[in-house]
Amino acid sequence: MKAVQIAAFGSPADVLTVTDLPDPPEPVGDEVVVAVEYSPVNMHDLAFVGGLFFEPPLPAVPGNEGVGRVVATGPDVTGVARGDRVVLPLLSGAWRELVTVRAAGLTALPEGDVRQYAMLASNPPTAGLILDEFVPLRPGDWVAQNAANGGVGRALIAFARARGVRTVNLVRSPEAVEELKTAGADIVVVDGPDAAEEIRSLIGDGRVRLAAAAVGGQAATTLLRLLEPGGTVVDYGSYGIDVDPQDAVVTDRGITVTKFFVGAFDRATKLVPLVDEAVSLVRFGALAMPVAAVYPLAEVREAAAHTLRGGKVLLRVGDATTTQA
């Protein structure tokens, strides 16, 4: 089978290679073999390639999420069958034509957009956990986030809307404002020095107790200034929010900054239910991530370069009869 492999950690342009690997053996126990159809090329995949998250034994196959069809099952498998399409578990090493995973937690997918299904193992659970795990939210509450037009941001908008929670969304370009409002965002503001004041005028007496930070800098500062005393910022992608210890906006108001990694949560009890919820959101049009480009597996370096430039990029790993089946 064809697979993307790294023999050393480093720049994607230098270390990503496409190679032939042996097909997986027949599955045993509750294992299944999945023929991968699509897998995203996310920034966290490229961080994996660079050895920034952790350093698994080498050589290693990247690919943190994806979608494919079950082509073989072990004797103890009961939840899925050959021919079922499934979302791969997080951190499966999906940039290969065939991958063996445990069947526990896998669910046969209904008809829907396969490319959207390929993007459900990481960003939607991240968004759902941010909403569920840190601050008790009630319908009508406000949550703020930056980089709102990214994968986690769009998922957070969809999950929040389903829960009756309202969202304040910071973006970098005016073009994203109407797009996110159409996707269900309540307030969308282009970030800048006056963004916090503008948002406060829009939400009136509303209180923001929770914020999600994908990036640091000015955008993170805006979130800090929006939070009420005792509020929480969940830092899921900024690689560190620089907080000035002399800044009274944080020190005098008891703001908590919490680091987040979706892989630290239990898959069966925390991740799988949120993936299932995301499947329903995709089916009914409440969650969709625009795809900028799709590259064949052989062009993985080009796909990585595109991701670094911006835009959601997928690898077409194997054959998918249709993106709507």
Side-chain angles (χ1 to χ4, degrees), residues 98-182:
L98 297 168
V99 62
T100 300
V101 297
R102 298 284 297 275
L106 297 182
T107 304
L109 291 168
E111 292 186 2
D113 190 322
V114 180
R115 295 180 182 182
Q116 293 296 319
Y117 286 157
M119 299 181 278
L120 297 188
S122 176
N123 290 335
T126 295
L129 290 166
I130 289 171
L131 292 172
D132 293 345
E133 295 293 321
F134 298 95
V135 173
L137 297 172
R138 299 179 297 273
D141 284 348
W142 288 98
V143 173
Q145 62 172 337
N146 60 29
N149 59 330
V152 173
R154 289 173 181 271
L156 190 144
I157 290 168
F159 276 110
R161 193 171 182 83
R163 288 159 168 71
V165 172
R166 296 176 289 182
T167 58
V168 171
N169 302 275
L170 294 167
V171 295
R172 294 177 177 175
S173 67
E175 293 77 17
V177 174
E178 289 305 319
E179 184 179 350
L180 288 187
K181 286 184 177 179
T182 300

Side-chain angles (χ1 to χ4, degrees), residues 262-301:
V262 66
F265 291 84
D266 180 70
R267 177 170 177 264
T269 60
K270 298 294 186 179
L271 303 188
V272 169
L274 290 168
V275 171
D276 291 343
E277 184 177 352
V279 169
S280 295
L281 292 172
V282 168
R283 284 191 68 203
F284 296 107
L287 173 60
M289 182 67 190
V291 175
V294 179
Y295 289 83
L297 195 67
E299 297 178 12
V300 64
R301 291 189 179 187

